[in-house]
Amino acid sequence: MLHLSIQYLAIPVLVGVVVLWRLLKVGQRPKGMPPGPPTIPILGNLHQMPKESPHLQFQKWAEEYGPVYSLMLGTKPTIVLSSDVAVKDLLDKKGGIYSDRPDMFISQRVASGNHRLVVMRYGETWRLIHKLVHNILNIKVAAKYIPYQDLENKVLLAGLLDTPDALFNHIRRFSYSLSTQMIFGFRCPDFADPMLKRLFETVETWGVVSASGVAQVADLYPIVQKLPHFLVPTVSQAKKVHEVGRELYTGHWLKAKQGLKDGTGLPCFCNDLLLAQKSEELSDEAVGYIVGSLLEGGSDTTSSTLYAFVLAMMVWPEVQKKAQEEIDRVVGPDRLPEVDDYPNLPYIRCCVKETLRWMPTVILGVPHSVIQDDTYKGWVIPKGATVINNVWTIHMDPKRSPEPRRFNPDRFANDPTTLYQSANGEPMDRDNFNFGAGRRLCQGIHIAERSLFLGMSRILWGFNVSQPLGTATPDIDDLVGGITVHPRPYKVDIKPRSTKTVKIIRTAVKDCEDLVHPDSGQWKKVPDGMVFGSWKPDSKVKV
């Protein structure tokens, strides 16, 4: 009898030991994976993830464990690529298996309704949207939208004349209105527009909930996803983000759609999407999020980069002087720089590249996921592993960029490539990694380059940027944001370079005002050179 009792007692004890043993294995780094910081049971390296400035910790780990290292975040293996060559070898050359996104419960499923393009999983839907976006953002079509870029930039200059203290708001209006014109066909004349404010609030809130500790835990321990929502407040917050985003983006889309149907709409991306909606049977919500994702990307990153550029000009006045000397020599004092001046302003091209390198906006990239087991340099990269493009660390590598926190456009003096050419060239010569990699490379790169060139060249042509008297030099490493970041708001003096400069800007803006309705600020007629879309369901695009 005693013998039987011991046997029955031994079974649950044995089961308990097995369960405990397996539990203690959770969080351990599997054999063969790249090296990384020591793990602890259950959490792996999760307890070492910082709440603030994670890019700095990722940089330290790269210095300690090498350009390719691994983290165990709970149950999830994560591979961190901190070298240009590794990004090229895996995300570019093996894009077929490295183009997925991790399953992001809060960021994608709850806060985006599975529609937000930047975090959408790789598959048929993503490939269809990729083809659509390529059709409306390729370099030939993008050139048609230069009239929109020109007008919005001139309005930006007028804003800096009238209210220079509102620099950040003027830059945001510029990038937002440019995006709404290209995407929907309408302008945003005033930075106080509630739709503009709602967009940036939506992007910022989505970034915060996506980067929150709760979002990470929910992805790493799926049981959290099944808990009542009152126990996981971030879920309720993410639902609100989705409701606001869906209303905003679908509303924009439906308005543009109606305008195109009744003949009042202007050439814009929605032309192609309307044709595609019919052939591909896309819902209004799905199309709304496609255009919303484009609006987010075009508005947020461009404005953040321009804001960083003005900060650099204030902190490094010798760079500002050199850039202005080139502009004065090539363009002269009698006209504004134009898009056609770009090839003749190599130092401004270098400023574009250096700003993107010096102050990356997507500081840790958007994570990829590998869809099958792979190996790299003898290491195992398991199926489903998250793969991080460690943008900050690559940009701050002193071997690539000596004195990386110094703003030095001359480091690109021998690089005549466009941003797109550089992104597809040799990895060690690539100028920046802001626009992603492989099949996830941002297709708005051509438009972004023109917008940045016009913004930088014209601001320096028309204004002197300096540090206000009696103020401390801003901390260039003080960044705010979530998935995307920008410098913390700073004080700056922006003054016109001459009375002639003021007159030329005023005249240019008046010429623009003649093209738009005085009450609404919208275009009176289709700008010269603009074309409606030409989406074809059988368009052959490599995806």
Side-chain angles (χ1 to χ4, degrees), residues 307-323:
Y307 194 55
F309 170 73
V310 175
L311 173 62
M313 294 302 96
M314 180 173 65
V315 176
W316 281 275
E318 69 278 6
V319 174
Q320 178 181 178
K321 180 180 178 182
K322 184 172 181 179

Side-chain angles (χ1 to χ4, degrees), residues 285-440:
E285 183 177 326
V287 178
Y289 257 104
I290 293 172
V291 293
S293 297
L294 296 175
L295 182 61
E296 288 177 352
S299 302
D300 190 39
T301 54
T302 299
S303 61
S304 297
T305 302
L306 277 176
Y307 194 55
F309 170 73
V310 175
L311 173 62
M313 294 302 96
M314 180 173 65
V315 176
W316 281 275
E318 69 278 6
V319 174
Q320 178 181 178
K321 180 180 178 182
K322 184 172 181 179
Q324 288 175 329
E325 288 174 349
E326 179 182 76
I327 294 170
D328 294 344
R329 184 175 65 254
V330 175
V331 177
D334 299 326
R335 67 173 179 87
L336 291 167
E338 303 291 347
V339 169
D340 290 342
D341 292 315
Y342 198 20
N344 301 317
L345 294 171
Y347 194 70
I348 302 302
R349 182 195 67 240
C350 293
C351 286
V352 172
K353 290 175 178 281
E354 178 66 347
T355 305
L356 290 164
R357 183 209 65 82
W358 174 73
M359 192 67 76
T361 53
V362 190
I363 206 160
L364 288 174
V366 181
H368 290 235
S369 181
V370 61
I371 64 175
Q372 67 184 49
D373 290 340
D374 192 26
T375 59
Y376 183 62
K377 294 187 179 298
W379 293 311
V380 173
I381 299 179
K383 176 183 177 180
T386 296
V387 182
I388 292 178
N389 176 9
N390 192 359
V391 175
W392 174 268
T393 299
I394 296 174
H395 286 198
M396 300 306 139
D397 182 353
K399 294 179 181 177
R400 293 185 96 248
S401 305
E403 298 182 78
R405 292 310 292 144
R406 183 166 73 92
F407 189 89
N408 177 22
D410 281 318
R411 68 177 85 245
F412 295 105
N414 297 317
D415 179 6
T417 62
T418 65
L419 298 181
Y420 179 78
Q421 289 168 339
S422 182
N424 288 280
E426 292 299 317
M428 291 176 286
D429 296 329
R430 182 170 175 177
D431 47 29
N432 79 89
F433 288 77
N434 284 281
F435 296 93
R439 300 182 184 183
R440 292 280 185 168

Side-chain angles (χ1 to χ4, degrees), residues 227-539:
L227 295 175
H229 291 170
F230 72 87
L231 294 177
V232 192
T234 303
V235 172
S236 298
Q237 189 180 8
K239 282 186 173 182
K240 183 64 177 177
V241 171
H242 175 43
E243 290 172 7
V244 172
R246 178 175 55 195
E247 179 185 356
L248 178 65
Y249 302 144
T250 305
H252 280 330
W253 157 246
L254 291 176
K255 184 177 180 180
K257 180 180 180 179
Q258 185 59 44
L260 293 169
K261 284 185 174 182
D262 62 27
T264 61
L266 293 180
C268 60
F269 296 171
C270 285
N271 299 306
D272 286 66
L273 290 165
L274 181 58
L275 297 173
Q277 184 181 42
K278 296 175 182 178
S279 64
E280 305 298 336
E281 300 182 351
L282 297 170
S283 69
D284 284 327
E285 183 177 326
V287 178
Y289 257 104
I290 293 172
V291 293
S293 297
L294 296 175
L295 182 61
E296 288 177 352
S299 302
D300 190 39
T301 54
T302 299
S303 61
S304 297
T305 302
L306 277 176
Y307 194 55
F309 170 73
V310 175
L311 173 62
M313 294 302 96
M314 180 173 65
V315 176
W316 281 275
E318 69 278 6
V319 174
Q320 178 181 178
K321 180 180 178 182
K322 184 172 181 179
Q324 288 175 329
E325 288 174 349
E326 179 182 76
I327 294 170
D328 294 344
R329 184 175 65 254
V330 175
V331 177
D334 299 326
R335 67 173 179 87
L336 291 167
E338 303 291 347
V339 169
D340 290 342
D341 292 315
Y342 198 20
N344 301 317
L345 294 171
Y347 194 70
I348 302 302
R349 182 195 67 240
C350 293
C351 286
V352 172
K353 290 175 178 281
E354 178 66 347
T355 305
L356 290 164
R357 183 209 65 82
W358 174 73
M359 192 67 76
T361 53
V362 190
I363 206 160
L364 288 174
V366 181
H368 290 235
S369 181
V370 61
I371 64 175
Q372 67 184 49
D373 290 340
D374 192 26
T375 59
Y376 183 62
K377 294 187 179 298
W379 293 311
V380 173
I381 299 179
K383 176 183 177 180
T386 296
V387 182
I388 292 178
N389 176 9
N390 192 359
V391 175
W392 174 268
T393 299
I394 296 174
H395 286 198
M396 300 306 139
D397 182 353
K399 294 179 181 177
R400 293 185 96 248
S401 305
E403 298 182 78
R405 292 310 292 144
R406 183 166 73 92
F407 189 89
N408 177 22
D410 281 318
R411 68 177 85 245
F412 295 105
N414 297 317
D415 179 6
T417 62
T418 65
L419 298 181
Y420 179 78
Q421 289 168 339
S422 182
N424 288 280
E426 292 299 317
M428 291 176 286
D429 296 329
R430 182 170 175 177
D431 47 29
N432 79 89
F433 288 77
N434 284 281
F435 296 93
R439 300 182 184 183
R440 292 280 185 168
L441 183 72
C442 174
Q443 297 184 77
I445 192 170
H446 311 295
I447 292 172
E449 184 164 14
R450 288 196 186 97
S451 293
L452 292 174
F453 165 71
L454 282 177
M456 293 178 187
S457 63
R458 287 180 173 178
I459 287 174
L460 292 185
W461 177 90
F463 300 90
N464 289 318
V465 175
S466 61
Q467 184 174 322
L469 293 175
T471 62
T473 302
D475 181 358
I476 62 171
D477 295 321
D478 188 7
L479 309 178
V480 294
I483 290 179
T484 61
V485 299
H486 59 77
R488 187 175 297 280
Y490 54 86
K491 294 185 179 298
V492 57
D493 269 346
I494 301 178
K495 296 179 180 178
R497 297 179 68 192
S498 69
T499 55
K500 185 175 183 179
T501 294
V502 174
K503 183 178 179 181
I504 291 173
I505 292 175
R506 295 292 188 198
T507 300
V509 173
K510 188 176 186 315
D511 291 341
C512 289
E513 289 173 348
D514 292 339
L515 301 173
V516 300
H517 292 285
D519 296 329
S520 65
Q522 304 304 318
W523 288 88
K524 292 179 180 178
K525 65 175 185 177
V526 177
D528 293 339
M530 300 295 290
V531 294
F532 281 85
S534 57
W535 160 255
K536 296 179 181 179
D538 60 348
S539 299

Side-chain angles (χ1 to χ4, degrees), residues 15-28 41-42 75:
V15 170
V17 170
V18 171
V19 170
L20 179 61
W21 178 79
R22 288 187 175 179
L23 199 59
L24 292 176
K25 287 286 186 180
V26 173
Q28 281 190 3
I42 312 299
T75 61

